[in-house]
Amino acid sequence: MYEIFSILRDLGAIAQVHAENGDIIDEEQKKLLDMGITGPEGHVLSHSEEVETEAVYRAITIAKQANCPLYVTKVMSKPAADVIAKARKKGMVVYGEPIAASLGTDGSHYWSNNWATAAAFVMSPPLSPDPATPDYLNSMLSCRHFNTGDFVVTAVGKRKLNKGAVPCLFAWNDYSMPAPRLNVWQRWPRCPSPVSAASDTDQEMEVQIAPDHDYSVTPTTSGMADALANENEALKRKRQELQHQLEASQLQSRFGLQRLAGSDEDSRFCTSGDLQVTASAHCTFSTAQKAVGKDNFTFIPEGTNGIEERMTIVWDKAVATGKMDENEFVAVTSTNAAKIFNMYPRKGRIAVGSDADIVIWNTKETKTFSAQTHNLTVEMNIFEGMECRGFPMVVISQGRIVLEEEKLDVMEGSGRFIPRKAFPDYVYKRIKARSRV
């Protein structure tokens, strides 16, 4: 795997892994079958969370040594997500992708008395039996929010900040209604200022609210104040602009900060979520096809639905609950994937020159998922009876309306191949920098 990752790095590609340990799974399956366990519950019992977690950790370790970017598909459990989060905090170029199933439901259904229902949930890695997992993964998918006491929000007046505080500015992008900007100061471990690196002493920082509601930062140390007093106003503004740019760059490198989707002129940053992208992993089978494994769970075809439900589940579980805002919703369902896979700004952005792929979203009404109403030819829906807030009213693809009033109007063969170049900047900037070290 190390050799493969090294080759992928040289090609400018991104290593993608479905993280499980096949050797352990094979042995566990044999043990369970010998014990007489043949039903769908045997699937989750033989694919423990520890097996997924070990494989994620192993892939990240190898990718780090090979200096290769890594994309972990189908993140299904808390421990696996935690491994990814810890690696990102250490500066690893790794991305985590939970799916509609892991964000919307859990693995308790593997023990259903209805064999067809239990079999419908069989997929790999399996859904976690822990009912708290969906909420946990949705929280990790959101841009990282901070607990009370971790930051100070200032809208008026002046506020003294704790020593060692480092600024982190959040901004709205052009995908939602305009909103006021907030200046958020996060208590990160102190890093030296890129402009005044010679000073090792902690400094208290003061936020000043200008008349136009822009924010400025002024060190209150007397030595720095004397130095600034000797500079004219033009040099002060230039110095401040440069310092903010360098601090933003330093924060981006050290803490995994990323620019919000929006205009290139907006240089404000937001902390990345611990998980960055959502997928559907859509792969459905009829009950008759699943029944191939009625006497042996290892023969049950693996796969669930999720392509219709993915965005609604993210909205209901994350946006409607206040875990993320509309802009972060756009990022984790569209923009981040477009950037990672080098299709941005053709995809993942509404702008002149980008593809006319647009979703008009209903944020107020609810929708109930059901096998009776979904646009599939299978008898089961793993989200059966789930009522969720938010769903697409109109979907436009290539400038043509393909969904309106829940009626699908698509033509076979209308899809297009989207060529992508290697070495996406969004992914490879840090990889290239490390290669030069």
Side-chain angles (χ1 to χ4, degrees):
M1 190 179 289
Y2 178 87
E3 183 178 359
I4 293 172
F5 281 10
S6 298
I7 293 172
L8 291 173
R9 177 203 62 218
D10 294 341
L11 292 174
I14 302 171
Q16 296 188 47
V17 295
H18 168 135
E20 288 191 284
N21 190 314
D23 293 333
I24 294 177
I25 290 171
D26 287 343
E27 293 301 318
E28 292 300 310
Q29 287 176 338
K30 292 175 184 177
K31 291 179 182 179
L32 291 167
L33 290 172
D34 289 342
M35 294 168 60
I37 298 176
T38 61
E41 71 277 10
H43 179 72
V44 66
L45 292 173
S46 60
H47 294 65
S48 66
E49 292 184 354
E50 291 81 5
V51 171
E52 179 190 6
T53 305
E54 181 275 332
V56 170
Y57 181 82
R58 179 158 38 97
I60 289 175
T61 300
I62 297 173
K64 178 182 179 181
Q65 298 303 313
N67 194 27
C68 176
L70 182 67
Y71 187 96
V72 181
T73 66
K74 293 192 284 187
V75 178
M76 306 299 286
S77 66
K78 294 179 184 178
D82 287 339
V83 170
I84 295 171
K86 289 178 182 178
R88 287 180 58 81
K89 289 173 183 175
K90 293 179 181 179
M92 270 291 297
V93 184
V94 56
Y95 306 97
E97 174 209 85
I99 63 173
S102 63
L103 294 170
T105 187
D106 60 68
S108 60
H109 305 276
Y110 291 119
W111 283 269
S112 171
N113 292 328
N114 185 315
W115 187 93
T117 298
F121 286 81
V122 170
M123 62 179 300
S124 289
L127 288 159
S128 171
D130 182 355
T133 297
D135 184 67
Y136 189 82
L137 294 181
N138 276 288
S139 296
M140 297 192 73
L141 180 66
S142 308
C143 270
R144 198 173 299 119
H145 295 289
F146 313 109
N147 296 323
T148 302
D150 287 344
F151 62 86
V152 177
V153 180
T154 60
V156 292
K158 298 181 180 180
R159 294 292 300 274
K160 291 284 186 179
L161 304 175
N162 294 322
K163 292 183 179 180
V166 177
C168 178
L169 303 179
F170 286 75
W172 292 72
N173 63 29
D174 56 358
Y175 287 106
S176 69
M177 298 296 291
R181 297 185 184 274
L182 293 178
N183 197 359
V184 181
W185 293 72
Q186 178 191 355
R187 190 182 299 128
W188 289 107
R190 180 176 173 79
C191 55
S193 167
V195 173
S196 56
S199 175
D200 294 328
T201 60
D202 286 340
Q203 300 177 3
E204 286 190 336
M205 307 294 284
E206 182 179 90
V207 178
Q208 296 180 333
I209 309 303
D212 60 356
H213 298 290
D214 285 331
Y215 299 94
S216 60
V217 183
T218 306
T220 59
T221 302
S222 58
M224 180 64 73
D226 293 338
L228 291 175
N230 295 328
E231 298 176 352
N232 59 43
E233 290 300 320
L235 288 177
K236 286 183 181 179
R237 288 194 297 270
K238 187 65 178 178
R239 177 187 177 88
Q240 190 176 66
E241 178 183 354
L242 176 61
Q243 182 166 348
H244 287 172
Q245 291 175 355
L246 291 175
E247 286 178 347
S249 177
Q250 187 178 52
L251 288 169
Q252 183 183 31
S253 174
R254 183 166 181 177
F255 300 115
L257 303 186
Q258 66 179 18
R259 192 186 306 263
L260 281 171
S263 65
D264 293 335
E265 290 76 17
D266 192 345
S267 61
R268 299 177 188 270
F269 290 82
C270 154
T271 56
S272 303
D274 294 318
L275 303 174
Q276 295 72 45
V277 182
T278 59
S280 68
H282 184 90
C283 181
T284 55
F285 297 91
S286 67
T287 300
Q289 291 172 317
K290 291 274 188 176
V292 171
K294 64 183 180 64
D295 297 321
N296 185 331
F297 67 85
T298 65
F299 294 153
I300 299 175
E302 299 177 4
T304 63
N305 59 288
I307 196 167
E308 290 186 43
E309 300 86 1
R310 176 183 70 107
M311 294 183 69
T312 293
I313 287 172
V314 175
W315 184 275
D316 183 74
K317 305 297 183 182
V319 181
T321 58
K323 288 182 171 66
M324 67 170 66
D325 63 27
E326 299 91 336
N327 304 285
E328 296 160 356
F329 172 75
V330 172
V332 301
T333 59
S334 177
T335 305
N336 287 352
K339 290 181 176 181
I340 291 170
F341 297 110
N342 218 9
M343 292 185 286
Y344 187 87
R346 177 174 179 177
K347 301 290 186 181
R349 181 176 174 83
I350 299 175
V352 175
S354 299
D355 285 356
D357 300 331
I358 301 171
V359 176
I360 300 176
W361 196 256
N362 185 326
T363 64
K364 298 180 180 179
E365 298 182 35
T366 61
K367 181 176 182 178
T368 302
F369 299 130
S370 173
Q372 303 301 316
T373 57
H374 65 200
N375 292 288
L376 302 173
T377 57
V378 294
E379 309 91 333
M380 304 295 295
N381 188 311
I382 64 171
F383 307 107
E384 187 69 38
M386 183 183 296
E387 186 179 30
C388 291
R389 292 155 289 186
F391 60 90
M393 295 175 58
V394 178
V395 177
I396 301 172
S397 176
Q398 302 176 45
R400 179 178 176 273
I401 296 177
V402 296
L403 178 73
E404 187 174 15
E405 296 180 354
E406 299 191 39
K407 294 181 180 179
L408 192 62
D409 181 20
V410 295
M411 296 184 297
E412 185 176 353
S414 61
R416 295 172 298 166
F417 172 74
I418 306 296
R420 298 183 290 123
K421 294 182 180 180
F423 297 102
D425 283 344
Y426 185 77
V427 175
Y428 265 86
K429 280 186 176 180
R430 283 188 288 164
I431 297 295
K432 291 178 179 178
R434 291 171 185 177
S435 295
R436 291 192 294 266
V437 175

